[in-house]
Amino acid sequence: MEVRHWNAEVNGVSIHVAEQGPADGTAVLLLHGFPELWLSWRHQMAALAARGFRAVAPDLRGYGDSSAPADPAAYSMFHIVGDVVALLDHLQLTKVFVVGHDWGAQVAWHLCLFRPDRVRAVVTIGVPFFPRGPRSISEAFADRGDGFYITQFQEPGRAERAFARHDVATVLKKFYAIDFDDLTAPPGVEMVDFLEAPSSPLPWITEEELGLYAQKFHKSGFTGPLNYYRMVDMNWSLTAPWHGAKITVPAKFIAGDKDIGAQSFGIEQYIKSGGLKFNVPDLEVAIIDGHHFLQQEKADRVNSEILSYLDKFTGV
């Protein structure tokens, strides 16, 4: 079943969408992370389409063939979730299943927080829901110093200049191959220079697929994706009304047991201690063998986890 491509003019931007499966099938919205594209969902789209679902995978704003405003202020969580809601309106879909990975998981959680009426159930990969903390992100991570990746990403242009010292495919491979849990570079070193690009191909992505990613990032650049990080403190300020709010939507969280995201920042303890379940009462958790880019690395297992969960709601 072929992938269909189209663009929607929504929320003041143009959003590129890849779609697979019957147009009248039950919709599943797939939200990618950093630094990725709709293409990150190629395995899930095929599996969903084969089961009669309509898989809808946009390039989030700043990525691929979607609009990429230069101003960091255009990348608040309100803007990104606004794009998603406007896309659902454009498609005349009142309520959908949502699957998100990495930053896309953050967007999915906030969609559930802001507009639970639009989500039948959510599956997130790699990033659990965190309630709004007492301090901004910058304050919370201040003790990690200037080498911390989120800190380095704050200053407009800084990371872009560092990334530009490498070809685009190498930058992507450096991020795709991360397998340590503390993303802090030594003093005076930029994160992208500190990361190592493996000499051999990654087992879960072909050279041709990597080339497709690289081609899109070469065209659109990294400013849009980095601007998500530049808005973390603003998002903290903007979400004050939801302080203490829980996720009421039925949810499943999938993480790789070797995922840096699941092991760092006390996340593993947060999940195991019941903290996540407290904040997301209607929750299932699946910890499986794998690293961060789980839906590509362990596609069959992730497909099975997603489909078995959706089956509970669709009565298949």
Side-chain angles (χ1 to χ4, degrees):
M1 207 175 296
E2 69 172 340
V3 178
R4 307 181 291 280
H5 294 269
W6 44 273
N7 276 62
E9 307 302 314
V10 294
N11 201 27
V13 290
S14 178
I15 298 293
H16 166 251
V17 177
E19 182 181 5
Q20 196 170 0
D24 60 351
T26 300
V28 182
L29 181 69
L30 302 156
L31 304 173
H32 69 80
F34 172 89
E36 300 185 87
L37 301 164
W38 74 267
L39 189 63
S40 318
W41 298 111
R42 58 197 179 281
H43 305 298
Q44 287 67 44
M45 292 172 74
L48 287 162
R51 286 284 292 274
F53 288 99
R54 178 187 187 184
V56 178
D59 284 334
L60 297 181
R61 77 161 60 193
Y63 284 89
D65 293 317
S66 292
S67 298
D71 185 358
Y75 292 83
S76 79
M77 198 55 82
F78 286 171
H79 288 84
I80 312 301
V81 173
D83 293 347
V84 172
V85 173
L87 182 61
L88 297 183
D89 290 345
H90 176 82
L91 291 166
Q92 298 182 318
L93 296 169
T94 52
K95 214 163 185 171
V96 295
F97 293 114
V98 180
V99 182
H101 170 252
D102 187 76
W103 262 104
Q106 293 268 39
V107 176
W109 288 125
H110 282 85
L111 175 64
C112 294
L113 198 60
F114 301 156
R115 294 300 304 270
D117 59 306
R118 306 304 294 265
V119 186
R120 286 180 71 179
V122 65
V123 179
T124 61
I125 303 170
V127 178
F129 172 69
F130 285 104
R132 183 177 179 275
R135 297 181 298 162
S136 71
I137 302 296
S138 291
E139 288 176 8
F141 290 122
D143 60 342
R144 289 175 175 261
D146 183 65
F148 187 52
Y149 77 110
I150 292 178
T151 304
Q152 290 198 355
F153 288 177
Q154 292 305 301
E155 180 190 324
R158 175 180 173 178
E160 290 92 328
R161 287 190 293 273
F163 285 17
R165 292 197 284 271
H166 309 271
D167 69 82
V168 174
T170 299
V171 172
L172 295 173
K173 276 182 87 167
K174 281 171 173 271
F175 282 103
Y176 295 162
I178 290 172
D179 66 352
F180 56 91
D181 65 0
D182 185 6
L183 289 177
T184 305
V189 178
E190 294 296 310
M191 175 52 67
V192 74
D193 298 330
F194 179 55
L195 297 176
E196 291 183 16
S199 51
S200 54
L202 292 164
W204 49 264
I205 186 169
T206 66
E207 288 299 304
E208 183 186 12
E209 287 164 346
L210 183 66
L212 287 172
Y213 280 100
Q215 180 188 353
K216 294 299 180 186
F217 278 97
H218 185 75
K219 178 174 82 74
S220 61
F222 286 98
T223 295
L226 289 163
N227 279 342
Y228 282 66
Y229 292 93
R230 291 168 184 150
M231 290 303 287
V232 291
D233 285 346
M234 178 59 77
N235 287 334
W236 180 81
S237 298
L238 292 172
T239 52
W242 289 270
H243 193 85
K246 297 186 179 188
I247 298 290
T248 57
V249 172
K252 179 167 185 170
F253 174 63
I254 306 170
D257 58 358
K258 302 172 194 68
D259 182 355
I260 49 152
Q263 293 174 336
S264 52
F265 315 131
I267 294 175
E268 191 174 17
Q269 180 59 25
Y270 170 59
I271 297 164
K272 289 182 174 173
S273 69
L276 178 58
K277 176 82 174 169
F278 176 79
N279 292 307
V280 188
D282 191 351
L283 176 74
E284 288 184 22
V285 175
I287 306 295
I288 67 175
D289 171 45
H291 297 81
H292 182 65
F293 295 93
L294 204 57
Q295 79 273 39
Q296 297 176 79
E297 182 193 4
K298 301 288 182 181
D300 290 345
R301 176 68 192 276
V302 169
N303 291 349
S304 153
E305 293 286 349
I306 292 171
L307 288 166
S308 65
Y309 187 64
L310 298 188
D311 282 349
K312 297 184 177 190
F313 303 90
T314 53
V316 173

